[in-house]
Amino acid sequence: MPTFDPVRPFRKLAYNNALANRRLLQACAALTPGEFEAPRTGFFPSIKETLNHIVTVDWFYVDGLEGGTLGFQAFEVDQPFDDVSSLAEAQAKVDQRLVALCEALTPEKLVSTVSLHRGDRIQQERMEDVLAHLFQHQTHHRGQVHAMLAGTSVAPPQLDEFIVADDAKFREGELAGLGWSEETLMR
């Protein structure tokens, strides 16, 4: 019987996050002119604003998880990207940082304290709670973009084929594009 690894779910979620963002942003790259920034129904009123929110929040939390002090500077520019291409590049970079962080996790690190610089205070949280919050945040807003895509010329992509082994046939292209393997995802 395999031994339980408390870090494994976080590693898998980091890979899932990177793969889902890649697939979602590839779909958004196919939008016709004007669709990216067009007003839509959602927590943020456009695909552009929602995707910019995802990346800036990722900058904030990943920096804190890495021990940095970026804090609210992550939000100095409300929408730092006007086009899908530059946004996708920035998202891929922060996704890789999160994957690297989760690859280096240990059970001891999971229960360590993370300092999140929030302007007038420093929020102290357990790393496992910050990671869980971040993955939930990303999923929440990706779902909103997915729903917004339904009102565009681009079909919303499948975003939930990155966790279980049986879905391997659906993610071959993404894994190859990132230089990852099924063995990396399944360990």
Side-chain angles (χ1 to χ4, degrees), residues 26 42 62 95 101 151 167 175-176 181 187:
Q26 284 176 339
V62 172
D95 289 346
L101 183 132
D167 286 337
L175 291 185
S181 69
R187 64 179 171 78

Side-chain angles (χ1 to χ4, degrees), residues 158-172:
Q158 188 73 24
L159 296 179
D160 63 348
E161 296 172 334
F162 306 121
I163 299 286
V164 297
D166 194 58
D167 286 337
K169 59 188 169 283
F170 302 118
R171 58 180 174 246
E172 290 176 33

Side-chain angles (χ1 to χ4, degrees), residues 120-162:
D120 61 346
R121 67 187 176 91
I122 297 178
Q123 178 183 350
Q124 304 282 312
E125 299 284 350
R126 282 172 64 133
M127 183 174 281
E128 63 185 333
D129 293 339
V130 174
L131 285 167
H133 172 75
L134 179 56
F135 291 128
Q136 172 61 29
H137 178 268
Q138 294 161 334
T139 302
H140 168 70
H141 287 297
R142 270 195 306 269
Q144 292 172 340
V145 172
H146 191 269
M148 287 186 224
L149 279 174
T152 72
S153 63
V154 176
Q158 188 73 24
L159 296 179
D160 63 348
E161 296 172 334
F162 306 121

